[in-house]
Amino acid sequence: MRGTRYGPGVLTRFANVSDPIPVAGGGLLSRRALLKGAMVMGAGAALPATAANEHLGAAMAWQKTPGRPPTGYGNPSRFESAVTRTTYNRYGAIALGNGGSFTPLERLRGTITPNGLHFERHHQGVPDIDPAKHRLVVHGLVRRPLRFSIDALGRYPMTSTTAFIECAGNSFPNTNDKPPQVTCGEIHGLVSCSEWTGVPLAMLLEEAGVRTDAKWIVAEGADAVSMHRSIPIEKARDDALVALYQNGERLRPEQGYPVRLLLPGWEGNMSVKWLHRLELVTAPVQARDETSHYTDALPDGRALQFTFEMGVKSVITQPSPGWMLQGPGYYDISGLAWSGAGHVARVDVSADGGRTWAQAELLETAQPFAFTRFRLPWRWDGGPVRLMSRAMDEREQIQPTRAEWLQRYGAKQRYHYHAIQTWQVDDMGEVSNAY
Amino acid sequence: MPTERSRIATLAAAVAIALCVANVSAAPDLGEPVSAADLVGLSITIGPDGNGLPPGRGTAIDGVDLYVDRCASCHGVRGQGRTGPALAGGAGTLAGKAPVRTVGSYWPHATTLFDYIRRAMPYDNPMSLTNEQVYQLTAYVLWLNGIVGRDESIDARTLPGVKMPNRAGFVNAWDARDRD
């Protein structure tokens, strides 16, 4: 049987506050030191003498008035109203539907993105689809072309998988010549992670009877640009999901209601939202969004096409730009890592601009194709430091530096940016984006 | 250790077995059959070989007025880009510091142009053009880029053969990947 999960000694195990063992430069501490002093410190710090209720006059207003009754659908506390997505738009008033919104990664903890904060990227807005009129058609090189209503899909055996979805263009602000001074989410927040539930695509393909000459599937959405992408049949059979639910509830309209495709680990654009048609074909159809867009410029002027998998990546979410560290002392560095290859194998953190690194702790929630939360205790000495994180995945792929990443590509390459992020902390404690 | 991937594959395999082992009714089989007639107007994807192109034809000359009327406000009369992206220009810029990627300088297949205009343009009123009009506008945008002549007929037979300047400019990374 396992012992208590937290219990006595928890401060020692997690924070290592009393007699820190430095494990790398810049004040990084061991992620699991065993020091007896910590408990004493913990007990002493927990209970300020004045905290006890000496008389009822100390009770808070909300202890003295009845609370509000239950509601049909819950919302966050009004004190959390600042936790919102930042929206952007590509072409202004002529195309309000072409844009997106960034998940405020720096405001969230854990690994699941709340549904109302999942990032958005639309080419022509969010359609208002009546599920009773929506059909998913499977046709092309199949023996039995089929059409599924949403009710019919709802009767299939379903499975759930926790997976991130990352826009191929995520982190594009960091391809600018100068580091943009915006929040972590406004740089890296075109990625979110949810538990998705639905029907394995392989099941529907099996029923339709895929012909042997079918090698690709064209997935098309029912939005106002009928966004479509060609997907290799290997992926469709391996782990593609026809998703109806997101974190337990039906998909949000901006996530593809009533049905979307989910291709774990691959560029978000391919997890086609508002999915209404799957056509089996012999070769990619060279859609606008796999030629004009979502292709990767090489230095010689050519471009890579069909680079589906998202690279191994990590970012420190706390602290990050917008934070002012409140003086020297203890901080818990926390961040997210993910990889289109599957598992995150390890994350290293540096507090001296990459000269020395310490291995971060990966939290127990880690799953393949999902966000992995990492943490490392840190004692800030009050001087300027450069914080970085560097992830490695199950295939031993390591996050590149920004310079290494830039070298692989041609000018104005905006997709698949996954380089190491540097946060500069100045001697006032202000955190900013740095290259 | 079972991965997410193998769990989805296992569930799918279970249904596959149910389908194969004698009793087909054990599978959900809740899709309705679809006929060729059901796919008319729905199956709109055009392949690079021209597969899916409808009857009809058009030339750049035929498309001038329509383009000015329905497209120029966002893309500019010469396709130079206005509030919307440029549709022409950028030849020879791809390997430089300031690449300009347009239909003319970047797109590998002319069929993509027909497909995209038909499904998505004009941006403020998608799917409002006839096939004939889409051929005319396809011809017009290709002509803006100096790829076809102003009187050249663009139709299901000629469009797949139109030589795009950057046809050889793409590397298929999926085919080139290491298969481990």
Side-chain angles (χ1 to χ4, degrees), chain A residues 140-385:
Chain A
L141 303 175
V142 295
R143 283 186 295 278
R144 302 166 66 213
L146 292 173
R147 177 168 56 195
F148 298 90
S149 68
I150 297 302
D151 284 348
L153 289 174
R155 287 172 56 196
Y156 275 76
M158 291 195 206
T159 186
S160 300
T161 188
T162 301
F164 72 82
I165 296 181
E166 181 175 25
C167 177
N170 191 27
S171 313
F172 70 87
N174 272 359
T175 64
N176 294 353
D177 291 340
K178 290 206 177 82
Q181 294 311 325
V182 294
T183 65
C184 173
E186 288 160 350
I187 301 168
H188 301 294
L190 295 183
V191 63
S192 308
C193 184
S194 300
E195 183 204 63
W196 304 96
T197 298
V199 183
L201 174 54
M203 225 180 248
L204 305 182
L205 294 181
E206 202 73 60
E207 289 193 340
V210 175
R211 283 172 30 183
T212 50
D213 51 343
K215 299 286 183 263
W216 292 69
I217 300 188
V218 186
E220 184 181 271
D223 59 337
V225 284
S226 303
M227 229 288 306
H228 68 314
R229 287 289 303 255
S230 309
I231 297 156
I233 191 130
E234 291 93 326
K235 181 69 171 177
R237 288 196 164 123
D238 179 8
D239 62 354
L241 198 65
V242 173
L244 299 158
Y245 293 83
Q246 173 187 7
N247 295 327
E249 65 179 359
R250 293 296 293 271
L251 300 177
R252 292 287 170 99
E254 63 267 35
Q255 292 311 320
Y257 183 85
V259 58
R260 81 174 301 164
L261 197 57
L262 173 75
L263 303 182
W266 285 21
E267 20 183 73
N269 178 257
M270 304 178 73
S271 284
V272 172
K273 295 181 286 192
W274 315 296
L275 184 69
H276 80 150
R277 198 162 67 88
L278 293 164
E279 183 176 357
L280 282 287
V281 294
T282 54
V285 293
Q286 309 287 341
R288 203 274 317 216
D289 287 306
E290 58 204 27
T291 52
S292 169
H293 288 53
Y294 303 96
T295 44
D296 307 327
L298 293 170
D300 65 5
R302 291 184 306 158
L304 295 173
Q305 206 178 7
F306 312 124
T307 54
F308 303 134
E309 194 174 290
M310 295 307 291
V312 60
K313 192 159 170 179
S314 69
V315 63
I316 294 171
T317 51
Q318 291 97 359
S320 64
W323 277 50
M324 282 291 287
L325 300 188
Q326 302 299 306
Y330 182 84
Y331 292 90
D332 209 57
I333 292 174
S334 176
L336 293 169
W338 61 97
S339 168
H343 272 102
V344 170
R346 118 180 221 160
V347 178
D348 294 328
V349 171
S350 174
D352 56 12
R355 270 196 300 280
T356 59
W357 297 85
Q359 193 176 343
E361 177 186 1
L362 305 186
L363 269 62
E364 293 164 25
T365 48
Q367 290 178 56
F369 303 106
F371 276 169
T372 292
R373 177 64 71 174
F374 66 87
R375 63 171 290 273
L376 195 67
W378 174 49
R379 183 170 293 280
W380 183 44
D381 67 5
V385 292

Side-chain angles (χ1 to χ4, degrees), chain A residues 88-92 95-100 121-125 288 293, chain B residues 116 123:
Chain A
Y88 76 95
N89 176 267
R90 278 289 297 277
Y91 294 101
L96 292 174
N98 193 326
R121 174 72 179 102
H122 318 304
H123 288 255
Q124 177 50 305
R288 203 274 317 216
H293 288 53
Chain B
Y116 186 68
Y123 197 82

Side-chain angles (χ1 to χ4, degrees), chain A residues 291-293 295-304 406 408-414, chain B residues 86 88-109 145 147 164-171:
Chain A
T291 52
S292 169
H293 288 53
T295 44
D296 307 327
L298 293 170
D300 65 5
R302 291 184 306 158
L304 295 173
L406 285 172
R408 290 180 199 165
Y409 293 109
K412 291 208 191 159
Q413 160 67 3
R414 296 263 193 283
Chain B
T93 64
L94 296 185
K97 284 262 168 290
V100 178
R101 301 181 184 118
T102 72
V103 173
S105 68
Y106 196 59
W107 291 29
H109 300 277
N145 283 286
I147 296 170
M164 298 298 275
N166 195 40
R167 177 69 186 86
F170 289 84
V171 178

